[in-house]
Amino acid sequence: MNSHLIDNISNTVLNNFVDRDKYSAVGGLSASLVANESANTNVYRILKNELQMCDDFIFAVAFITKAGLSQFLSVFQDLDKRGVRGRILTSTYLWFNQPEVFKILINIPNIDVRIYTGKDQKTAEPLPFHAKGYMFSHENGYNSAIIGSSNLTSNAIMKNYEWNLRVTSLDNAEITKNISDQIEAEWDRGIELTDAWIEEYTELYKKNHPKLIAAADVAESTEVYQIDSKIVPNKMQKAALDQLTELRQSGKQKGLIISATGTGKTYLGAFDVRSFKPKRFLFVAHREQILQKSLESFYKVIGGNRNDYGIYSGNNREGLDKKYVFATVQTLSKPENLALFAKDSFDYVLFDEAHHLGASMHQRIFEYFTPKFCLGMTATPERTDNFNVYKLFNYDIAYEIRLQDALEENMLCPFYYYGVEDYELNGETIDDTTSLQRLVSEERADYIVRQTKYYGYSGDKLHGLVFCSRKDEAKGIAELLSKRGYKSIALTGEDGIARRDEVVGQLEVGVIDYIVTVDIFNEGIDIPCVNQVVMLRNTESSIVFVQQLGRGLRKFKDKEYVTIIDFIGNYKNNYLIPIALTGDKSHSKDSARDSVDLEPIFGTSVINFTKIAKERIYKSISQSNLTLKKKLHDEYMNVKNKLGRVPLMCDLQRDSIDQSVIASKYKQYNAFLLAMDEEEFVLTPFQEQVLSFVTVELSNGLRKHELLLLNALLQGELTDEQYVQILKEAGCYVNDAVLGSVDRILSLAFFDDKSKPNKVSYGDTEITEHHAGNYRFNDKIKAELTNNDFKVLFEDAIKTGLLKAEQYDASQPFTIGCRYERKDACRLLNFNKRVPGQNIGGYFIDKDHDTCPIFITYHKSENISETIQYGDYFKNPSVMHMYSKNKRRIEGAEIQKLYRGVEEGKPALDMHMFVKKSDDEGTSFIYLGPCEIIKGSMQQEFSRRQDGKEDPIVSMDLKLAVPVDADRYYMLTEK
């Protein structure tokens, strides 16, 4: 065993068992607690990442649920493509595992399953099997084991209070060898899972499983709480009702509720009407089916005489004289029908799906009646037709809860989203131009059925919706699915309401398995039983994507989750998928990529992409232009419509276009406004230069220090002591180096010499002056701030920066996991001058401050120069094996500067590591933390050039102070 490995083992043991502060665990050997701490740190994420990187695995786990197993189906599928097999040992203990679980397990092609059969040696009675262990083997000779309290259930791996010990060792280590031997012994005694065994178990399960009290239909009871037969508001509804009351108390006559589909908007309306006690009430919707269900919900909440409720629609005019009238837009909007009602007939009017109020029929009703209060409810207020629903309700938003928030609050049925690659034939994949013949081919239908069967659904019976892109495709797919035993009916815009309702009824009672449609079920349809949504179309808009996803999000009895299977072809609009899933409106490519890489979790809803599907989305993100003027204009108008005024940059930053987009494309906010056809502010060229400086260099929020100084100077001059106190109160790190850097930044001295083009664009005037212990604005800047237009935008740029700064840890120069460019590192490491990126290259030693940022592109392009084609790689999450620049020798001055102090255990350089996966990610790198060269790891090597000659190069191991988190590590190292 070499001395380097011995040092690693020694340090790991000392870290784990003696002193974690004094010693660091390196070399991949570790022991740690795994618990469900957050959406980013839980048992599920650790298991998933271990699976993604392993070469084989075995689970010994007593209890498995469909939900727990389903969360890993995409990973199992990718492992199968890699030729990786696994084993699962489980049990029949307490009859917990449902037969459906075994039916899923037996259909996972690369997993062998056995059932525990251990017996007591004295009595020969079956032993209860209550193990929870997961083991993974890796090609580098390491084994990982996770042993503890977590069964393979959704709750146990995501939200329950669970404790598990994770141990990583070499493959013949005592602890993992003991665990492995125990599992193997039980595996050898286990019964192989077969179809015959499942059939027998199913009958025994029916007899032995504890009889559960039949749950009532929760399609409605999950939207409210029912106590002693009295319906009371849920958490969201209570908050919304309080705000509606406050709105009316302030004299407002209109209000808008923005609430995700399935969160109980109808009951919310009923609760508010009950509180308002109107003499007459009008509910307006665009479908009679909605009216009938809404009427029943209102009656449950308000009660009273059932004859006081009536529908006014088509041939049903019973509601004409009722106290509570439920009317369709189509019927009520006719002038002759409106004339039957006095303008003040209703003192409370509620418009369902209020985003449709831009249509002439809706407008006619809205403008006709004069109620004391009017409420609009919608899940999608954003429009692409420039209609402003906010204006109709005087910009008074009573309450807002979006999809991701509703999932976090457990108000909706969780979804398991699987982004899988669409069918490929002879190297050709489905794309925007694929012919109908290929879309409805027998081969594609077989592939679709394999995937839908593999990913399954929650519940005893399939109730599926399939979204297609063309009418002919919908009809063809419905025929092909029916031919394969999944009875399906196609519905398109050609089918009337009666036909649609008939088919929906057939889906609900299980007469058919799928409704195959083109867009008509995006909204205005409520089918709570839907437990599988299949997307066979290009994502044209994030609004439509969320609407279609939302068809399955209503809670329903026996439905633990809804399965979303998105067949991803080579579509240009694939970049919209992560944007829609996360609700991200930043228009930032970095943000979109992070969503794909990290696969965020909302509540217990999970997002999974197969490797190929990910690659297709990456390609779309790289090739897309998220900052096209039209895209930015649409987003800008949504915010403007919501606010009822011209937004400032800080307004956009809160929940919309990111500052980085404006800074990179327009330099300063007034230029952006002009591009949006706004002429709100008038600036001089000098004022534009100053705003460009603040926006580009400071409003990114990477460092609060300059922003806090500028913000304080708006109130007047301040002393050194006052400034330092402001920094400390804001939680900022303070030292002479950073204070000197602030001076250089705000005097523009930092941008001198080789960065002269930047100085020209920013002007030559210092922003602030620092003399004799006092800070003040430069006289010219002070004079310009008397101009209101300039002052508003100057203050806005500062506010935006402080808002962005909330994403970063102000107590440190960098925040682990955040993205930085080379130029950012120059500033945040207090360089005297900005160094051009090409001069920094892979690393740069700043001799003035003994700092060295290191920039590593993990997967380098094959087209780059052979002189920088270094093979840097992670040895494990704590250690990066890095190569020096070309033509370097250990005894050379540069390498000696890097290594100075390492032998003595006191490295002279303050080193920081930044990594990006590839050049496709642009110019930003992810900060992984401070690092140092491992003593004795430097080696002289030689790189061979194409001409056959060799150049000297030095390799070394860098130890990170904080190991790379599992998700980020897999994302960076995945090929």
Side-chain angles (χ1 to χ4, degrees), residues 282-293 295 309-322 324-334 337 340-341 365 497-498 501:
L282 173 64
F283 182 99
V284 183
H286 63 288
R287 290 193 62 196
E288 187 167 339
Q289 184 188 48
I290 296 175
L291 295 185
Q292 190 62 53
K293 291 185 177 181
L295 185 153
Y309 298 77
I311 289 177
Y312 191 76
S313 172
N315 297 322
N316 188 349
R317 306 299 175 92
E318 67 174 12
L320 185 62
D321 299 317
K322 302 293 186 180
Y324 302 101
V325 181
F326 295 78
T328 56
V329 173
Q330 294 83 349
T331 301
L332 184 60
S333 64
K334 294 178 180 178
N337 292 336
L340 299 175
F341 298 89
I365 300 171
I497 298 298
D501 291 345

Side-chain angles (χ1 to χ4, degrees), residues 92 129 291 362 633 706 730 777 806 809:
T92 60
F129 183 78
L291 295 185
H362 291 74
H633 186 267
E706 292 91 345
F777 276 125
E806 294 175 7
D809 180 1

Side-chain angles (χ1 to χ4, degrees), residues 19-71:
D19 190 330
R20 65 172 188 169
D21 295 321
K22 188 175 180 180
Y23 303 98
S24 298
V26 295
L29 305 173
S30 64
S32 60
L33 183 71
V34 178
N36 296 320
E37 299 174 25
S38 68
N40 294 321
T41 306
N42 53 37
V43 181
Y44 162 72
R45 286 203 180 276
I46 298 298
L47 289 175
K48 183 178 177 182
N49 280 280
E50 285 282 4
L51 278 170
Q52 287 170 322
M53 293 184 288
C54 76
D55 292 290
D56 65 67
F57 63 92
I58 183 167
F59 296 173
V61 58
F63 300 154
I64 305 175
T65 63
K66 288 178 69 175
L69 186 61
S70 295
Q71 288 166 302

Side-chain angles (χ1 to χ4, degrees), residues 531-556:
N531 53 13
Q532 189 186 83
V533 177
V534 180
M535 297 178 175
L536 295 177
R537 79 292 170 273
N538 183 11
T539 302
E540 293 290 349
S541 86
S542 56
I543 294 174
V544 171
F545 183 100
V546 172
Q547 288 174 333
Q548 294 177 348
L549 175 75
R551 294 312 98 202
L553 293 181
R554 286 193 182 275
K555 292 188 175 183
F556 193 69

Side-chain angles (χ1 to χ4, degrees), residues 619-636:
K619 179 181 176 183
S620 175
I621 293 172
S622 296
Q623 295 179 348
S624 67
N625 185 350
L626 300 187
T627 62
L628 276 175
K629 180 179 175 181
K630 173 151 190 340
K631 293 177 183 176
L632 295 178
H633 186 267
D634 288 345
E635 185 60 44
Y636 170 81

Side-chain angles (χ1 to χ4, degrees), residues 471 474-476 478 488-492 495 499 503 514-517:
K471 294 177 182 178
K475 294 174 182 177
S488 307
I489 295 178
L491 287 179
T492 70
D495 296 290
R499 173 59 175 164
V503 174
Y514 286 111
I515 295 176
V516 188
T517 184

Side-chain angles (χ1 to χ4, degrees), residues 14 38 46 90 229 247 482 520 544 594 608 896 922 946:
L14 291 168
S38 68
I46 298 298
T90 187
S229 300
L247 196 72
S482 296
I520 60 170
V544 171
D594 283 345
N608 285 288
Q896 288 303 306
Q946 288 183 350

Side-chain angles (χ1 to χ4, degrees), residues 627 629 632-633 636 646-647 649 652 661-685 687-689 691-692 695-696 789 793 796:
T627 62
K629 180 179 175 181
L632 295 178
H633 186 267
Y636 170 81
V646 172
M649 184 162 59
L652 299 181
V661 173
I662 295 166
S664 62
K665 187 165 186 173
Y666 298 99
K667 306 306 179 190
Q668 45 91 11
Y669 192 60
N670 195 49
F672 171 80
L673 288 176
L674 291 172
M676 299 299 106
D677 301 318
E678 302 279 13
E679 296 183 6
E680 189 79 359
F681 302 95
V682 178
L683 301 176
T684 66
Q687 292 169 347
E688 290 178 346
Q689 288 178 327
L691 286 175
S692 293
T695 304
V696 173
D789 283 359
L793 293 179
D796 175 48

